[in-house]
Amino acid sequence: MSEESKFNFSEEEEKAEALKKEQSVEQSKENVKKDAQGLFTSISKFLSELLDFRDDTDRDATIQAIKGDIPFKGATAWILICSIFVASIGLNANSTAVVIGAMLISPLMGPILGIGLSIAINDIDTLKKSLINLVTMIVLSLMTAFLFFKFFPTADIMTTELFGRTKPDLRDVLIAFFGGAALIIARTKKGTIASVIFGVAIATALMPPLCTAGYGLAHNWDYFIGAMYLFTINTIFIALATFLVLKILRFPMLRYANSKKRKRIAQLASLIAVLVMAPAIWTFVNFITQSGLEGDYNNFMETEVKSNHELWLQKGIPNWEEKTITLYFNGEVPDATIADLENEIKTYEKIKDYSLVIQGNKNRSIDKISDAYDRAIRDLDQKDIIITGLQNQIEGLQVNITNLNKQLESKTISNTIPFSSLSRDAKVRFKDLEYFGYSNMLESKDFINIDTVSVVRLKWNTNLPDSIQVKKEEELKTWISTQLNKSNILILK
């Protein structure tokens, strides 16, 4: 075989080998595609079997059961009144367990499901009956709660259980919708799942908002509006969930000659749902925004302010409307620290546009406190020297006063006038005088200086009138002052 023939044979072998590899790769891709399709089919089948609930639906029994729960009379009315009282007591006592118990026995869910059912199957008569019974239940519930919160002792106290039902947001919308969906799915299933129904009754919480509205009627209209808004959210979105589930399950619709009227009712129901949901979404957005602001503010305070041991923080006050954060410190805050805090706050996404207002107490800076302390010590030392000098002067004055008092006492005793001549002259001048006594008495008004007072004791004739006695006493006092040459005379009877 020539060299050229060998070369051609080798090329043919290489081409055949390459063709086999290409065929093998194509076969592998085809096998992978088939396996993937098989896996997708298996997953789809699994999910369909897992989530599809249409095959396990008892349409006739569901419609009959929901319509049977709509009527409101007799025992149902008393059950509602009792459940309202229980829920009101639980809210007033701030007891979650009691409130849950009231929700479990409440018959309010029946007319709400009836509204969703009637719209889904185009049953106008059932819709009217459901609306009438629902309004009757609401009025009776509000009256019962109002009477309890108006007249029961301590019922005016605002508890956390009550306050939690006055400001609904988007979360309450979601709770009502998915709770209603769970309930109607459970009701359409062949057989009743009681635990699911009870769980929905707890989650959707129809009774506490009505009781809180009764409290609002008795004490605060703002709470009444908020609680009724929450109840309206629960009612509309439970009914909406019922409507959607029954539509998915393709419940048979009743036929009427006027189909346009049925369409207008459905459109009106949708419009009401949107209008009710809009404020709740707005409230939820505000809640999320406020939570973000408070979270960043707390992180900033903990990380940047409280962790700085050189700062002596008194308090921080955020103003969400004016976008300012005011920080009060003990002691003077250096400019470098203020600049650092202003730079750090810009790293927090929610509060980066907020302005810092630093209020430092400059009179309490460390240096000035030390200077004030040193001045106080010097002043105290100077005052001690002055006090010591004054004490020495006081002691000298006390010695002088004591000596003068002794001299006065000796002088007073030595200048005593003979009593016998004084008493005899007194009797001669004043014939009605029956008793006469005289002495010198020492007295001190400030317990330091001593004065001398002449004491004269008298007794007049009992037949002498009081007015005459007073006049004669004045004459006797003037006479004795002249005789003794003293002005300080005390007359005693």
Side-chain angles (χ1 to χ4, degrees):
M1 183 179 296
S2 65
E3 292 294 331
E4 183 178 356
S5 299
K6 290 181 179 180
F7 179 76
N8 291 334
F9 180 76
S10 176
E11 284 184 348
E12 291 177 357
E13 285 184 343
E14 289 179 357
K15 290 180 180 180
E17 186 69 24
L19 181 61
K20 288 182 180 180
K21 288 182 179 181
E22 288 179 3
Q23 293 176 349
S24 177
V25 170
E26 292 293 332
Q27 185 65 33
S28 299
K29 289 181 179 180
E30 188 68 24
N31 292 336
V32 170
K33 185 181 294 185
K34 290 181 179 180
D35 291 341
Q37 291 176 349
L39 178 62
F40 179 76
T41 302
S42 299
I43 293 175
S44 299
K45 184 178 180 181
F46 172 76
L47 292 177
S48 177
E49 293 176 354
L50 177 66
L51 302 177
D52 188 12
F53 56 93
R54 289 175 294 184
D55 294 336
D56 198 21
T57 301
D58 191 344
R59 293 177 174 81
D60 294 336
T62 300
I63 295 173
Q64 184 177 358
I66 293 176
K67 288 184 176 181
D69 291 338
I70 294 174
F72 177 69
K73 59 182 179 179
T76 307
W78 284 107
I79 292 173
L80 177 65
I81 293 173
C82 292
S83 64
I84 285 288
F85 269 116
V86 172
S88 299
I89 294 170
L91 292 170
N92 179 246
N94 215 28
S95 174
T96 305
V98 176
V99 174
I100 292 174
M103 286 187 274
L104 294 179
I105 61 176
S106 168
L108 270 173
M109 197 73 75
I112 298 175
L113 294 182
I115 292 173
L117 170 69
S118 59
I119 296 175
I121 67 175
N122 198 21
D123 191 344
I124 304 300
D125 293 334
T126 301
L127 177 61
K128 293 179 180 179
K129 186 184 298 184
S130 299
L131 289 173
I132 292 173
N133 283 281
L134 179 61
V135 171
T136 304
M137 285 185 173
I138 293 174
V139 172
L140 182 60
S141 300
L142 289 175
M143 291 177 58
T144 304
F146 170 79
L147 293 174
F148 173 82
F149 286 108
K150 186 67 176 179
F151 299 106
F152 187 78
T154 72
D156 58 337
I157 299 174
M158 186 62 179
T159 63
T160 55
E161 287 287 340
L162 284 168
F163 187 75
R165 273 88 181 180
T166 59
K167 293 185 177 181
D169 56 36
L170 183 61
R171 293 170 296 181
D172 297 291
V173 174
L174 298 177
I175 290 172
F177 179 79
F178 289 107
L183 176 58
I184 191 60
I185 291 172
R187 294 300 296 266
T188 58
K189 179 179 172 59
K190 295 177 182 179
T192 301
I193 306 176
S195 61
V196 174
I197 297 175
F198 291 160
V200 172
I202 295 171
T204 53
L206 290 168
M207 296 299 293
L210 277 181
C211 294
T212 304
Y215 173 89
L217 282 176
H219 301 291
N220 190 314
W221 277 94
D222 291 336
Y223 293 155
F224 169 77
I225 295 172
M228 285 305 297
Y229 180 41
L230 175 58
F231 178 79
T232 304
I233 287 176
N234 288 338
T235 301
I236 290 179
F237 283 92
I238 291 172
L240 179 62
T242 303
F243 169 80
L244 293 177
V245 170
L246 295 183
K247 280 298 184 182
I248 293 173
L249 294 176
R250 297 178 182 177
F251 270 50
M253 294 182 63
L254 298 179
R255 299 295 178 182
Y256 294 95
N258 191 354
S259 59
K260 293 183 178 180
K261 182 178 180 180
R262 165 68 185 82
K263 186 177 181 181
R264 286 197 301 270
I265 293 175
Q267 292 174 345
L268 179 62
S270 300
L271 177 62
I272 293 174
V274 172
L275 293 177
V276 169
M277 186 170 62
I281 294 175
W282 174 258
T283 304
F284 180 74
V285 171
N286 288 338
F287 171 79
I288 294 297
T289 303
Q290 186 66 25
S291 298
L293 290 174
E294 292 178 355
D296 274 8
Y297 168 75
N298 292 329
N299 290 335
F300 171 75
M301 293 296 292
E302 291 292 335
T303 306
E304 311 298 340
V305 180
K306 295 181 180 179
S307 62
N308 190 340
H309 300 295
E310 295 181 356
L311 297 176
W312 186 1
L313 177 68
Q314 282 186 333
K315 60 182 177 180
I317 301 178
N319 189 322
W320 309 118
E321 295 179 357
E322 297 182 2
K323 291 188 175 183
T324 60
I325 297 176
T326 304
L327 302 178
Y328 294 88
F329 294 96
N330 283 325
E332 188 175 359
V333 182
D335 294 338
T337 302
I338 295 176
D340 182 64
L341 291 175
E342 291 175 346
N343 290 331
E344 291 296 336
I345 198 173
K346 295 178 180 178
T347 62
Y348 294 84
E349 182 65 26
K350 305 296 182 181
I351 59 174
K352 63 182 180 180
D353 296 330
Y354 278 58
S355 301
L356 278 181
V357 179
I358 307 297
Q359 298 289 345
N361 191 342
K362 297 182 178 181
N363 292 329
R364 294 189 177 183
S365 63
I366 299 301
D367 295 337
K368 292 187 176 182
I369 290 176
S370 299
D371 294 340
Y373 177 77
D374 293 338
R375 287 196 302 270
I377 293 297
R378 290 195 297 270
D379 291 343
L380 288 175
D381 292 339
Q382 185 66 27
K383 289 177 181 178
D384 288 340
I385 296 173
I386 295 173
I387 290 172
T388 302
L390 292 175
Q391 287 177 341
N392 293 333
Q393 293 180 10
I394 291 172
E395 291 175 357
L397 291 173
Q398 287 177 341
V399 172
N400 293 335
I401 291 172
T402 301
N403 293 333
L404 291 173
N405 289 337
K406 289 180 179 180
Q407 293 175 10
L408 181 59
E409 291 175 6
S410 62
K411 183 179 179 180
T412 301
I413 296 172
S414 62
N415 292 337
T416 302
I417 296 176
F419 176 72
S420 58
S421 61
L422 187 64
S423 61
R424 185 172 55 250
D425 293 342
K427 180 62 177 175
V428 171
R429 286 180 175 275
F430 303 96
K431 295 179 180 181
D432 295 321
L433 191 62
E434 293 185 353
Y435 174 84
F436 179 81
Y438 168 80
S439 68
N440 286 327
M441 182 178 70
L442 301 177
E443 67 174 1
S444 176
K445 296 180 179 179
D446 56 5
F447 301 97
I448 296 176
N449 298 312
I450 297 176
D451 293 327
T452 302
V453 60
S454 296
V455 180
V456 178
R457 190 172 185 83
L458 305 176
K459 184 176 182 181
W460 300 96
N461 190 329
T462 56
N463 295 325
L464 190 67
D466 292 340
S467 58
I468 303 299
Q469 290 183 19
V470 172
K471 183 178 180 181
K472 287 185 175 294
E473 285 177 4
E474 291 296 329
E475 294 176 357
L476 187 142
K477 184 176 182 180
T478 302
W479 174 72
I480 290 178
S481 298
T482 304
Q483 293 294 317
L484 300 178
N485 195 21
K486 292 182 178 181
S487 60
N488 194 4
I489 303 297
L490 180 61
I491 304 296
L492 297 178
K493 293 184 179 180

